[in-house]
Amino acid sequence: MTPPGDSSAVTPLPEATRHEDASADRLRRRGVLGCILAAAMTVLDLSMTSTALGSIQEGLHSSLAKGSLVISAYATAELVTLSLSAYLTRALRPRTYLVLLVCLFVGGALLSASAWSFESLLVARVVQGAASGAIMPFAYYAIVVLLPTERHPKAISTFSIAVTGSYVLAPILCITLGEWISWRALYCVAAPAGALALRLALPGLREMRTDESPLGRRINLVSVGAVVVGLFCTQYALDTGQDRGWFSSAVVTLAVATALVAFAAFLVSELRGRNPLVDLRLLRLRPFSAACVFNVVAGGAVYSSFVLIPVYLTTLGFSVGEIGTVSLYGGTVQLAIALGLPVVLRRLDAFLVTCAGAGVFALAALLPYLAGSTPPYAVIVLALMARSVGAGLLLAALGLMATRALGPSQASSGSLLFNMARSLGGSVGAALCAAFLAVRQAYHLRTGGTTNESRSLALHDVFAVAFAILLLLALTLLAGHLLRRVGTRQAARATDG
């Protein structure tokens, strides 16, 4: 028996209270799962668009050179919405917020399915990108706010598995719906996926608190205007710079100058204003700022591959069904590895996992570079497997690095900054990849090659640059891991001394 007055005595909770706590916990986990599925829906849509890009352009009578616009327009819209997402999560109730986002995304998908021209498809993709830009950070926000810290690795792993499953499902749908019916049928998948996500998430979002952020619910209109103008001008310069001759064009030069001025105004307004959109001071946290910097490179690599892989495989003569089949191999391997991510992320340092992911991603660029213009089928399959595995490890570990560095009051701003880093890297990376490919193809055409030969040589050059960048990222992450180990040992010795 416990002695009277013993302060260590624990009064057992009533059965009804324990039942209510267990029920609330289940609802919170269900809410997180629904938000994760909503985010996976956006990944599925982007992956299907990338796989079927050649068929989409053919159906709308557009050239391969315009393919990057489908990806970069989506990424630009993501960036604009991302810049507002931290404020919107403070201003709107979580349930209302998610319903609006999912409905907007599904509406954009149905508009894409009924696109009558390439321009109308771009408009629809902008609508989808605007919704996607807020759905992805909201999923990270839900993990931080709804779940205790000890459950974050499992939640991030579930996130990774859902995203990986989307990469597996995308080529299957492209092989079936895209080949048997039409590429338009692929965009109709968003409707049932969005309905399922809302069905799971809405009951659990009642448990989410929205009064944690110290930034309040007011908005700084100067910051909003500056960030929207800056992002729009940046993407406009990237998308049109190649055709206009970059800085030889007064329009491109003006767009770049306007973007620089707008971003400077945004920084001043955010740091000195009373109602900032996002807490930029979170970047003072070293683990979080490191995750954001690495996420820029990771986003650039992933989005560039969405542009590069369809062009590469189409140049080799692959159909949409064959591209889907090859992509399916990579997605299946990535899914198998994702199932073991909870154990990996618990036992290994996040820097080491990101290093491994970047190294495998670099291998994916090295293999087609070494294979030349007529790569064996096995090399193509192996390269796409390496790309899928590398991207999965890299993004999952970076997500865990970011969430571990944040508290509940920092979740909305932190998730915005982290996802904005990925989307900004993706937008710039996709545009620069397409521009570099066009420059190198024009160079090889001038040296006397045919169109296909020139494109093949240009792709060879792009793979070489991608390998160098990813290898540098892997080495930087390895150095970070080693420095952390040295610092930990020195701190342990100082404590023992």
mmCIF file of all heavy atoms in Angstrom, residues 294 297 301 354-366 394 463-479:
data_model
loop_
_atom_site.group_PDB
_atom_site.id
_atom_site.type_symbol
_atom_site.label_atom_id
_atom_site.label_comp_id
_atom_site.label_asym_id
_atom_site.label_seq_id
_atom_site.Cartn_x
_atom_site.Cartn_y
_atom_site.Cartn_z
ATOM 1 N N PHE A 294 19.823 22.002 -47.441
ATOM 2 C CA PHE A 294 19.934 20.736 -48.160
ATOM 3 C C PHE A 294 18.651 20.434 -48.939
ATOM 4 O O PHE A 294 18.692 19.810 -49.994
ATOM 5 C CB PHE A 294 20.235 19.601 -47.180
ATOM 6 C CG PHE A 294 21.571 19.720 -46.503
ATOM 7 C CD1 PHE A 294 21.712 19.412 -45.155
ATOM 8 C CD2 PHE A 294 22.681 20.144 -47.206
ATOM 9 C CE1 PHE A 294 22.941 19.524 -44.530
ATOM 10 C CE2 PHE A 294 23.919 20.257 -46.586
ATOM 11 C CZ PHE A 294 24.054 19.953 -45.245
ATOM 12 N N VAL A 297 18.641 21.866 -52.521
ATOM 13 C CA VAL A 297 19.336 21.018 -53.504
ATOM 14 C C VAL A 297 18.521 19.769 -53.815
ATOM 15 O O VAL A 297 18.404 19.354 -54.968
ATOM 16 C CB VAL A 297 20.738 20.638 -52.991
ATOM 17 C CG1 VAL A 297 21.494 19.836 -54.045
ATOM 18 C CG2 VAL A 297 21.528 21.883 -52.621
ATOM 19 N N ALA A 301 17.016 18.594 -57.445
ATOM 20 C CA ALA A 301 17.309 17.294 -58.060
ATOM 21 C C ALA A 301 16.024 16.542 -58.411
ATOM 22 O O ALA A 301 15.901 15.981 -59.512
ATOM 23 C CB ALA A 301 18.166 16.460 -57.110
ATOM 24 N N THR A 354 20.797 11.022 -45.069
ATOM 25 C CA THR A 354 20.723 11.952 -46.195
ATOM 26 C C THR A 354 21.950 11.819 -47.091
ATOM 27 O O THR A 354 21.847 11.929 -48.314
ATOM 28 C CB THR A 354 20.609 13.404 -45.713
ATOM 29 O OG1 THR A 354 21.632 13.678 -44.748
ATOM 30 C CG2 THR A 354 19.267 13.663 -45.077
ATOM 31 N N CYS A 355 23.102 11.573 -46.485
ATOM 32 C CA CYS A 355 24.325 11.351 -47.269
ATOM 33 C C CYS A 355 24.168 10.132 -48.170
ATOM 34 O O CYS A 355 24.517 10.162 -49.353
ATOM 35 C CB CYS A 355 25.514 11.186 -46.330
ATOM 36 S SG CYS A 355 27.045 10.725 -47.165
ATOM 37 N N ALA A 356 23.635 9.046 -47.607
ATOM 38 C CA ALA A 356 23.411 7.834 -48.408
ATOM 39 C C ALA A 356 22.415 8.106 -49.539
ATOM 40 O O ALA A 356 22.611 7.660 -50.682
ATOM 41 C CB ALA A 356 22.904 6.706 -47.515
ATOM 42 N N GLY A 357 21.358 8.854 -49.241
ATOM 43 C CA GLY A 357 20.382 9.175 -50.269
ATOM 44 C C GLY A 357 20.977 9.993 -51.394
ATOM 45 O O GLY A 357 20.734 9.714 -52.582
ATOM 46 N N ALA A 358 21.773 11.009 -51.040
ATOM 47 C CA ALA A 358 22.409 11.831 -52.072
ATOM 48 C C ALA A 358 23.401 11.017 -52.897
ATOM 49 O O ALA A 358 23.511 11.206 -54.118
ATOM 50 C CB ALA A 358 23.113 13.021 -51.430
ATOM 51 N N GLY A 359 24.126 10.102 -52.240
ATOM 52 C CA GLY A 359 25.079 9.260 -52.966
ATOM 53 C C GLY A 359 24.397 8.338 -53.962
ATOM 54 O O GLY A 359 24.859 8.176 -55.106
ATOM 55 N N VAL A 360 23.289 7.734 -53.550
ATOM 56 C CA VAL A 360 22.553 6.849 -54.465
ATOM 57 C C VAL A 360 21.919 7.654 -55.602
ATOM 58 O O VAL A 360 21.887 7.216 -56.756
ATOM 59 C CB VAL A 360 21.478 6.058 -53.688
ATOM 60 C CG1 VAL A 360 20.650 5.201 -54.639
ATOM 61 C CG2 VAL A 360 22.128 5.176 -52.632
ATOM 62 N N PHE A 361 21.448 8.854 -55.291
ATOM 63 C CA PHE A 361 20.889 9.737 -56.321
ATOM 64 C C PHE A 361 21.975 10.107 -57.339
ATOM 65 O O PHE A 361 21.725 10.168 -58.559
ATOM 66 C CB PHE A 361 20.334 10.998 -55.665
ATOM 67 C CG PHE A 361 19.141 11.582 -56.362
ATOM 68 C CD1 PHE A 361 18.135 12.203 -55.633
ATOM 69 C CD2 PHE A 361 19.002 11.544 -57.743
ATOM 70 C CE1 PHE A 361 17.020 12.753 -56.255
ATOM 71 C CE2 PHE A 361 17.903 12.097 -58.379
ATOM 72 C CZ PHE A 361 16.919 12.705 -57.638
ATOM 73 N N ALA A 362 23.186 10.375 -56.849
ATOM 74 C CA ALA A 362 24.297 10.681 -57.750
ATOM 75 C C ALA A 362 24.596 9.496 -58.667
ATOM 76 O O ALA A 362 24.903 9.668 -59.853
ATOM 77 C CB ALA A 362 25.537 11.052 -56.939
ATOM 78 N N LEU A 363 24.501 8.281 -58.131
ATOM 79 C CA LEU A 363 24.697 7.083 -58.949
ATOM 80 C C LEU A 363 23.671 7.012 -60.073
ATOM 81 O O LEU A 363 23.979 6.581 -61.190
ATOM 82 C CB LEU A 363 24.602 5.835 -58.065
ATOM 83 C CG LEU A 363 24.730 4.482 -58.760
ATOM 84 C CD1 LEU A 363 26.117 4.327 -59.377
ATOM 85 C CD2 LEU A 363 24.450 3.346 -57.778
ATOM 86 N N ALA A 364 22.446 7.465 -59.786
ATOM 87 C CA ALA A 364 21.394 7.459 -60.802
ATOM 88 C C ALA A 364 21.744 8.359 -61.978
ATOM 89 O O ALA A 364 21.347 8.095 -63.115
ATOM 90 C CB ALA A 364 20.072 7.907 -60.184
ATOM 91 N N ALA A 365 22.472 9.442 -61.735
ATOM 92 C CA ALA A 365 22.909 10.322 -62.825
ATOM 93 C C ALA A 365 24.164 9.798 -63.505
ATOM 94 O O ALA A 365 24.367 10.006 -64.706
ATOM 95 C CB ALA A 365 23.160 11.730 -62.286
ATOM 96 N N LEU A 366 25.002 9.089 -62.745
ATOM 97 C CA LEU A 366 26.259 8.584 -63.306
ATOM 98 C C LEU A 366 26.032 7.450 -64.305
ATOM 99 O O LEU A 366 26.716 7.372 -65.339
ATOM 100 C CB LEU A 366 27.171 8.119 -62.172
ATOM 101 C CG LEU A 366 28.536 7.542 -62.582
ATOM 102 C CD1 LEU A 366 29.375 8.614 -63.268
ATOM 103 C CD2 LEU A 366 29.262 6.984 -61.363
ATOM 104 N N LEU A 394 16.682 10.603 -49.072
ATOM 105 C CA LEU A 394 17.068 12.002 -48.896
ATOM 106 C C LEU A 394 15.922 12.825 -48.325
ATOM 107 O O LEU A 394 16.080 13.531 -47.320
ATOM 108 C CB LEU A 394 17.506 12.568 -50.257
ATOM 109 C CG LEU A 394 18.097 13.976 -50.303
ATOM 110 C CD1 LEU A 394 19.342 14.057 -49.427
ATOM 111 C CD2 LEU A 394 18.429 14.356 -51.734
ATOM 112 N N PHE A 463 23.450 14.984 -67.375
ATOM 113 C CA PHE A 463 23.710 13.936 -66.388
ATOM 114 C C PHE A 463 25.061 14.143 -65.696
ATOM 115 O O PHE A 463 25.198 13.887 -64.499
ATOM 116 C CB PHE A 463 23.673 12.560 -67.058
ATOM 117 C CG PHE A 463 22.288 12.058 -67.348
ATOM 118 C CD1 PHE A 463 21.927 11.651 -68.616
ATOM 119 C CD2 PHE A 463 21.325 12.003 -66.346
ATOM 120 C CE1 PHE A 463 20.649 11.193 -68.892
ATOM 121 C CE2 PHE A 463 20.039 11.552 -66.601
ATOM 122 C CZ PHE A 463 19.703 11.144 -67.889
ATOM 123 N N ALA A 464 26.046 14.614 -66.445
ATOM 124 C CA ALA A 464 27.361 14.858 -65.852
ATOM 125 C C ALA A 464 27.286 15.948 -64.785
ATOM 126 O O ALA A 464 27.854 15.812 -63.687
ATOM 127 C CB ALA A 464 28.361 15.249 -66.945
ATOM 128 N N VAL A 465 26.591 17.039 -65.085
ATOM 129 C CA VAL A 465 26.454 18.132 -64.118
ATOM 130 C C VAL A 465 25.650 17.671 -62.904
ATOM 131 O O VAL A 465 25.995 17.990 -61.755
ATOM 132 C CB VAL A 465 25.788 19.351 -64.789
ATOM 133 C CG1 VAL A 465 25.496 20.431 -63.764
ATOM 134 C CG2 VAL A 465 26.675 19.898 -65.900
ATOM 135 N N ALA A 466 24.572 16.926 -63.137
ATOM 136 C CA ALA A 466 23.753 16.429 -62.028
ATOM 137 C C ALA A 466 24.562 15.535 -61.102
ATOM 138 O O ALA A 466 24.446 15.620 -59.864
ATOM 139 C CB ALA A 466 22.548 15.670 -62.574
ATOM 140 N N PHE A 467 25.396 14.672 -61.690
ATOM 141 C CA PHE A 467 26.242 13.799 -60.868
ATOM 142 C C PHE A 467 27.186 14.615 -59.999
ATOM 143 O O PHE A 467 27.348 14.329 -58.800
ATOM 144 C CB PHE A 467 27.042 12.855 -61.768
ATOM 145 C CG PHE A 467 28.135 12.113 -61.047
ATOM 146 C CD1 PHE A 467 27.828 11.096 -60.157
ATOM 147 C CD2 PHE A 467 29.470 12.448 -61.244
ATOM 148 C CE1 PHE A 467 28.827 10.421 -59.473
ATOM 149 C CE2 PHE A 467 30.480 11.781 -60.573
ATOM 150 C CZ PHE A 467 30.155 10.764 -59.687
ATOM 151 N N ALA A 468 27.794 15.649 -60.558
ATOM 152 C CA ALA A 468 28.746 16.469 -59.801
ATOM 153 C C ALA A 468 28.051 17.174 -58.631
ATOM 154 O O ALA A 468 28.571 17.208 -57.513
ATOM 155 C CB ALA A 468 29.407 17.486 -60.728
ATOM 156 N N ILE A 469 26.852 17.720 -58.871
ATOM 157 C CA ILE A 469 26.141 18.446 -57.816
ATOM 158 C C ILE A 469 25.722 17.491 -56.694
ATOM 159 O O ILE A 469 25.883 17.786 -55.502
ATOM 160 C CB ILE A 469 24.915 19.165 -58.413
ATOM 161 C CG1 ILE A 469 25.371 20.285 -59.342
ATOM 162 C CG2 ILE A 469 24.026 19.721 -57.302
ATOM 163 C CD1 ILE A 469 24.245 20.952 -60.099
ATOM 164 N N LEU A 470 25.179 16.334 -57.063
ATOM 165 C CA LEU A 470 24.719 15.385 -56.052
ATOM 166 C C LEU A 470 25.882 14.767 -55.277
ATOM 167 O O LEU A 470 25.768 14.506 -54.076
ATOM 168 C CB LEU A 470 23.881 14.291 -56.716
ATOM 169 C CG LEU A 470 22.504 14.760 -57.205
ATOM 170 C CD1 LEU A 470 21.875 13.726 -58.131
ATOM 171 C CD2 LEU A 470 21.585 15.029 -56.018
ATOM 172 N N LEU A 471 26.987 14.545 -55.951
ATOM 173 C CA LEU A 471 28.166 14.030 -55.246
ATOM 174 C C LEU A 471 28.674 15.062 -54.241
ATOM 175 O O LEU A 471 29.052 14.707 -53.108
ATOM 176 C CB LEU A 471 29.263 13.685 -56.250
ATOM 177 C CG LEU A 471 30.560 13.109 -55.663
ATOM 178 C CD1 LEU A 471 30.282 11.801 -54.938
ATOM 179 C CD2 LEU A 471 31.608 12.903 -56.750
ATOM 180 N N LEU A 472 28.670 16.333 -54.633
ATOM 181 C CA LEU A 472 29.085 17.384 -53.705
ATOM 182 C C LEU A 472 28.147 17.446 -52.505
ATOM 183 O O LEU A 472 28.590 17.615 -51.357
ATOM 184 C CB LEU A 472 29.100 18.731 -54.435
ATOM 185 C CG LEU A 472 29.492 19.957 -53.605
ATOM 186 C CD1 LEU A 472 30.905 19.800 -53.053
ATOM 187 C CD2 LEU A 472 29.391 21.230 -54.446
ATOM 188 N N LEU A 473 26.852 17.284 -52.743
ATOM 189 C CA LEU A 473 25.896 17.263 -51.638
ATOM 190 C C LEU A 473 26.168 16.099 -50.699
ATOM 191 O O LEU A 473 26.154 16.260 -49.469
ATOM 192 C CB LEU A 473 24.471 17.161 -52.195
ATOM 193 C CG LEU A 473 23.338 17.003 -51.166
ATOM 194 C CD1 LEU A 473 23.276 18.214 -50.243
ATOM 195 C CD2 LEU A 473 22.002 16.787 -51.853
ATOM 196 N N ALA A 474 26.438 14.911 -51.264
ATOM 197 C CA ALA A 474 26.721 13.740 -50.437
ATOM 198 C C ALA A 474 27.964 13.954 -49.587
ATOM 199 O O ALA A 474 27.991 13.612 -48.392
ATOM 200 C CB ALA A 474 26.882 12.503 -51.319
ATOM 201 N N LEU A 475 29.004 14.521 -50.163
ATOM 202 C CA LEU A 475 30.244 14.771 -49.417
ATOM 203 C C LEU A 475 30.026 15.808 -48.313
ATOM 204 O O LEU A 475 30.580 15.686 -47.209
ATOM 205 C CB LEU A 475 31.344 15.226 -50.368
ATOM 206 C CG LEU A 475 31.816 14.180 -51.387
ATOM 207 C CD1 LEU A 475 32.829 14.787 -52.359
ATOM 208 C CD2 LEU A 475 32.422 12.969 -50.679
ATOM 209 N N THR A 476 29.219 16.828 -48.598
ATOM 210 C CA THR A 476 28.919 17.849 -47.587
ATOM 211 C C THR A 476 28.162 17.242 -46.409
ATOM 212 O O THR A 476 28.452 17.529 -45.242
ATOM 213 C CB THR A 476 28.084 18.979 -48.211
ATOM 214 O OG1 THR A 476 28.797 19.540 -49.322
ATOM 215 C CG2 THR A 476 27.794 20.064 -47.188
ATOM 216 N N LEU A 477 27.201 16.380 -46.703
ATOM 217 C CA LEU A 477 26.435 15.720 -45.651
ATOM 218 C C LEU A 477 27.312 14.771 -44.836
ATOM 219 O O LEU A 477 27.166 14.664 -43.616
ATOM 220 C CB LEU A 477 25.264 14.960 -46.259
ATOM 221 C CG LEU A 477 24.132 15.835 -46.827
ATOM 222 C CD1 LEU A 477 23.238 15.033 -47.749
ATOM 223 C CD2 LEU A 477 23.322 16.442 -45.691
ATOM 224 N N LEU A 478 28.215 14.082 -45.511
ATOM 225 C CA LEU A 478 29.140 13.203 -44.792
ATOM 226 C C LEU A 478 30.035 14.011 -43.865
ATOM 227 O O LEU A 478 30.280 13.609 -42.716
ATOM 228 C CB LEU A 478 29.978 12.407 -45.796
ATOM 229 C CG LEU A 478 31.014 11.447 -45.204
ATOM 230 C CD1 LEU A 478 30.335 10.393 -44.331
ATOM 231 C CD2 LEU A 478 31.817 10.774 -46.312
ATOM 232 N N ALA A 479 30.511 15.151 -44.346
ATOM 233 C CA ALA A 479 31.333 16.017 -43.490
ATOM 234 C C ALA A 479 30.533 16.504 -42.286
ATOM 235 O O ALA A 479 31.047 16.560 -41.167
ATOM 236 C CB ALA A 479 31.846 17.203 -44.303
#
